[in-house]
Amino acid sequence: MSLETKLDVRLPIGIMFTLFGAIIAIYGLVSDPSIYQRSLDININLWWGLVMLIFGVTFLIMAWRAKNLKKSM
């Protein structure tokens, strides 16, 4: 199997974390604030959704850069 036919694992991981992060962050934005009383009024869904979103976008950028680097060779 050549290097060109291998799937870069960063792409599906980036897609998954970006989608899950967006869903959780949106839920954190639209959910009732009273559910966060147990977590000292910290909107856990919003913050961890944003962390997952940033992580996923980072992986997507790394996959895109690797693909472009491979094309230029």
Side-chain angles (χ1 to χ4, degrees), residues 20-50:
F20 288 164
I23 290 169
I24 292 172
I26 291 169
Y27 178 75
L29 285 173
V30 299
S31 62
D32 184 23
S34 66
I35 66 172
Y36 301 110
Q37 288 177 351
R38 292 178 63 187
S39 63
L40 304 175
D41 290 328
I42 298 171
N43 192 337
I44 298 295
N45 291 321
L46 176 62
W47 288 108
W48 276 105
L50 291 174

Side-chain angles (χ1 to χ4, degrees), residues 2-67:
S2 66
L3 289 176
E4 291 82 27
T5 60
K6 290 185 180 179
L7 175 66
D8 189 1
V9 73
R10 291 174 286 205
L11 184 62
I13 290 174
I15 291 170
M16 180 188 68
F17 273 95
T18 301
L19 288 176
F20 288 164
I23 290 169
I24 292 172
I26 291 169
Y27 178 75
L29 285 173
V30 299
S31 62
D32 184 23
S34 66
I35 66 172
Y36 301 110
Q37 288 177 351
R38 292 178 63 187
S39 63
L40 304 175
D41 290 328
I42 298 171
N43 192 337
I44 298 295
N45 291 321
L46 176 62
W47 288 108
W48 276 105
L50 291 174
V51 168
M52 290 173 68
L53 189 62
I54 291 168
F55 182 78
V57 169
T58 303
F59 265 57
L60 289 174
I61 290 170
M62 290 179 358
W64 178 73
R65 286 184 63 205
K67 181 180 173 186

